[in-house]
Amino acid sequence: MKKWLTLFAALALVSSACTPDKSSTSDPLVYSADIVVYGGTSAAVTAAVQAKNMGKTVIIVSPDIHLGGLSSGGLGFTDTGRKEVIGGLSREFYHRLYQHYQKPDSWKWQQQSEYGNKGQGTPAIDGNSRTMWIFEPHAAENVFEDFVAENEIEIYRDEWLNREEGLVKENGRIVSFKTLSGKTFAGKMFIDATYEGDLMASAGVSFHVGREANSVYGEEWNGVQAGVFHHGHYFKENIDPYVVPGDPSSGLLPYISSDKPGPNGSGDHKIQAYCFRMCLSNHPDNRVPFAKPEGYDPSKYELLARVYAAGWGETFQKFDPIPNRKTDTNNHGPFSTDFIGMNYDYPEASYARRREIIAEHEKYQKGLMYYLANDPNVPEEVRTEMSQWGLAKDEFTDNGNWPHQIYVREARRMIGDHVMTEHDVLNHNVVPKPVGMGSYTLDAHNSQRYVTTDGFVQNEGDIGVHAPQPYSISYGSIVPKASECENLLVPVCVSSTHIAFGSIRMEPVFMILGQSAATAAVQAIADNVPVQGVDYEKLKAQLIKDTQKLTMEDI
């Protein structure tokens, strides 16, 4: 999914490459460690750092070239929720960003005094806790690279799991897995820290894709939610969906489904929309104007033209400011960067199909930005403002200034020992064996765009239900059932319903759970037990020692 290897990344790859373990094999392409972490996300890095700090050997096998996932891939306007619940290495990440932005030379395109210090429910620069919650992509990536270098973590990049025949499992335990390059990675414990859950799925662990019916877990906010609008991402005016207005025989405009949404509360295979979190700049010396993408077709955006004609005026609502006159630009409105309904097959798709889906999203979003800046159907004031913006020239420099990570808001979700539900998030339940905390709103983006019975276009799936207080996340949600795999932990594609995952799926939480997963893996090795048999009291003691927050009593 990443296109080019920067010189910096190449040097890091060379400096951190590990030596094959020849103690158990003569094959030069077999590598082993106590703990093997698959993934390049923020959770992968914190897991590896924790394992190394606890005295175990560890390898990161990353399909990505760039480390950090969304945290370094454009999502710099952090979804913090209550920052008090963020401890351990996750908090250290944001502390290091604070230290970075205390240096005058970190403010190249803007004086620190000119920065608005806006964050999500907290100041961007929190001097009291010495944390920085809003940041540039390259600054985040540098922190992750520092974590790896300082801890001398062995890492292999651009290594993709052979999902068809690469995993070896014996007696309920993963022995090793092979990547497409022919390398084999063996370990005592494995951690799947990917957004997609490919290692988990290859190991035969149960998972779910899509939205469960409310009846499955007695929930209210799961499943289809037609007519429920918790944010502004819906059509507030009656917009005609047909190519020729009023004529159904002319066909639907692009990106509108002909399928019915389904009964409210029912389950389906649909997942919330993906997008790229673009880093834009309006500094004249650091701005790359929006170019017309190959195959650009302005008719693809006719639906947006009709939204403007109906009086909509919120184009720049989610150009959230990050340092140095840049943005973390996110979806906003009824027709925006979210490519609704175009990702349903992504979670279980082949690598080739995933690349196609990512390319389709990139083409759509680049075309959208060009359309906003140039098309006469866009209000002149929007075009004038948009012409002041462009891709940040000093970000994602090896990828045409485009983010190297698509926003996989959800993919597979494990069905493990404990399934987190909205009852856990909304504090109707006390979860067993907490290993971290979350606090963000139940937040799901739209899953489909359809035609109502009245003959107008509408979006469905956008849910935002406030969590009244922080909640604990169960150890059982990051381990499979014992009957399925005894030496795997899953801190990203956690055991959770669709709607509960809408809150859990935040980058600070992934880092928290990555650290907790590694701690459990180390203790499972030490006590020679399956991950399901880890002594929770010992685990809890270590997590608290490492400043993790587990319950309300800890914050």
Side-chain angles (χ1 to χ4, degrees):
M1 298 178 190
K2 315 301 183 270
K3 295 182 178 178
W4 306 106
L5 179 61
T6 61
L7 177 60
F8 173 76
L11 292 174
L13 175 60
V14 172
S15 67
S16 61
C18 71
T19 302
D21 176 14
K22 298 182 181 180
S23 61
S24 59
T25 177
S26 59
D27 190 335
L29 294 180
V30 175
Y31 306 78
S32 68
D34 293 322
I35 299 172
V36 179
V37 180
Y38 183 61
T41 62
S42 58
V45 176
T46 57
V49 170
Q50 181 70 4
K52 195 70 182 287
N53 286 344
M54 293 184 72
K56 296 301 181 184
T57 57
V58 62
I59 297 171
I60 294 178
V61 183
S62 173
D64 309 319
I65 292 169
H66 297 274
L67 294 179
L70 260 297
S71 283
S72 61
L75 204 167
F77 197 74
T78 305
D79 302 312
T80 51
R82 288 274 296 277
K83 65 181 184 298
E84 300 94 325
V85 309
I86 301 169
L89 291 169
S90 184
R91 195 171 193 86
E92 173 66 14
F93 170 76
Y94 297 104
H95 172 61
R96 290 190 178 208
L97 286 165
Y98 173 86
Q99 292 177 311
H100 169 75
Y101 285 108
Q102 292 304 300
K103 301 173 184 177
D105 60 0
S106 296
W107 298 87
K108 180 177 180 180
W109 306 108
Q110 178 184 46
Q111 295 295 316
Q112 182 175 346
S113 60
E114 299 172 350
Y115 177 61
N117 208 28
K118 174 189 174 185
Q120 286 204 57
T122 182
I125 307 172
D126 189 336
N128 292 329
S129 64
R130 295 175 62 80
T131 48
M132 181 74 173
W133 303 103
I134 312 298
F135 47 85
E136 298 160 280
H138 77 270
E141 185 171 359
N142 288 342
V143 172
F144 289 120
E145 292 291 350
D146 287 345
F147 274 144
V148 167
E150 291 167 14
N151 293 278
E152 299 181 334
I153 292 171
E154 299 170 347
I155 179 169
Y156 290 82
R157 307 179 198 235
D158 199 21
E159 290 290 344
W160 298 79
L161 171 67
N162 183 333
R163 293 159 58 189
E164 301 300 322
E165 54 188 11
L167 189 134
V168 176
K169 187 178 174 185
E170 296 177 359
N171 300 318
R173 300 175 68 90
I174 301 172
V175 175
S176 65
F177 66 81
K178 183 175 289 187
T179 58
L180 295 180
S181 71
K183 297 182 179 68
T184 294
F185 297 92
K188 298 174 183 176
M189 292 285 155
F190 293 81
I191 297 175
D192 185 340
T194 63
Y195 291 121
E196 295 84 5
D198 285 341
L199 182 62
M200 170 190 73
S202 295
V205 172
S206 299
F207 61 87
H208 187 83
V209 175
R211 302 183 288 188
E212 298 91 348
N214 276 331
S215 59
V216 177
Y217 295 100
E219 296 176 298
E220 179 181 359
W221 300 111
N222 208 337
V224 176
Q225 298 284 334
V228 179
F229 309 118
H230 287 171
H231 298 108
H233 314 315
Y234 65 98
F235 293 88
K236 299 177 183 179
E237 307 294 336
N238 290 334
I239 305 295
D240 192 292
Y242 300 110
V243 174
V244 177
D247 181 5
S249 67
S250 66
L252 292 168
L253 290 174
Y255 314 132
I256 301 175
S257 173
S258 60
D259 295 336
K260 300 297 182 184
N264 273 19
S266 63
D268 57 26
H269 69 287
K270 296 165 183 171
I271 57 177
Q272 53 184 315
Y274 296 172
C275 70
F276 288 93
R277 298 289 285 250
M278 297 177 296
C279 185
L280 306 182
S281 173
N282 66 354
H283 194 292
D285 298 328
N286 196 39
R287 176 179 63 85
V288 178
F290 300 117
K292 180 188 293 187
E294 184 177 353
Y296 170 74
D297 179 0
S299 70
K300 297 289 187 182
Y301 307 98
E302 170 61 23
L303 185 56
L304 178 58
R306 295 184 188 181
V307 172
Y308 278 126
W312 186 73
E314 303 173 19
T315 304
F316 303 97
Q317 189 73 27
K318 287 299 291 177
F319 278 42
D320 291 317
I322 63 175
N324 284 307
R325 285 181 60 173
K326 299 176 188 175
T327 74
D328 167 359
T329 298
N330 194 14
N331 166 74
H332 184 77
F335 189 104
S336 186
T337 56
D338 273 7
F339 202 15
I340 299 172
M342 303 300 164
N343 61 342
Y344 297 155
D345 58 333
Y346 179 91
E348 298 185 78
S350 67
Y351 292 138
R353 175 58 187 145
R354 285 183 187 164
R355 287 192 292 270
E356 291 176 354
I357 294 169
I358 291 168
E360 290 161 3
H361 278 69
E362 181 175 339
K363 180 180 177 180
Y364 164 80
Q365 199 162 328
K366 285 182 173 179
L368 173 64
M369 302 314 290
Y370 182 82
Y371 180 86
L372 290 170
N374 294 278
D375 197 277
N377 287 316
V378 175
E380 183 178 359
E381 61 270 22
V382 174
R383 283 181 280 131
T384 299
E385 172 70 13
M386 191 62 70
S387 68
Q388 305 302 308
W389 291 94
L391 300 176
K393 187 183 297 185
D394 60 351
E395 299 289 351
F396 312 120
T397 55
D398 63 339
N399 197 41
N401 311 112
W402 191 255
H404 42 67
Q405 174 67 59
I406 195 170
Y407 195 173
V408 179
R409 288 191 171 93
E410 66 175 314
R412 298 183 181 97
R413 300 186 311 281
M414 181 171 65
I415 303 174
D417 265 359
H418 179 89
V419 179
M420 294 288 293
T421 72
E422 71 176 41
H423 302 296
D424 298 324
V425 173
L426 300 178
N427 291 288
H428 297 167
N429 294 339
V430 176
V431 307
K433 301 180 180 180
V435 291
M437 298 187 76
S439 63
Y440 204 74
T441 296
L442 292 170
D443 181 31
H445 283 232
N446 283 306
S447 295
Q448 57 185 330
R449 178 177 289 143
Y450 67 100
V451 179
T452 68
T453 55
D454 294 333
F456 301 108
V457 63
Q458 192 52 268
N459 297 334
E460 183 276 321
D462 183 63
I463 299 298
V465 178
H466 177 66
Q469 66 181 33
Y471 58 91
S472 298
I473 301 171
S474 173
Y475 178 61
S477 71
I478 66 171
V479 296
K481 297 173 183 176
S483 61
E484 294 183 341
C485 192
E486 296 183 351
N487 64 337
L488 174 68
L489 296 108
V490 184
V492 177
C493 294
V494 299
S495 179
S496 165
T497 65
H498 156 77
I499 196 60
F501 193 71
S503 175
I504 296 169
R505 65 178 181 85
M506 304 304 158
E507 289 290 304
V509 177
F510 288 155
M511 285 187 265
I512 290 167
L513 296 181
Q515 181 176 1
S516 294
T519 305
V522 170
Q523 293 191 350
I525 293 171
D527 293 344
N528 193 28
V529 296
V531 293
Q532 296 84 4
V534 166
D535 184 327
Y536 177 70
E537 291 304 316
K538 288 173 60 177
L539 175 61
K540 175 182 176 181
Q542 184 66 50
L543 295 178
I544 291 175
K545 178 182 177 182
D546 292 331
T547 70
Q548 293 270 50
K549 311 299 181 183
L550 308 183
T551 68
M552 288 293 292
E553 296 176 357
D554 300 325
I555 65 176

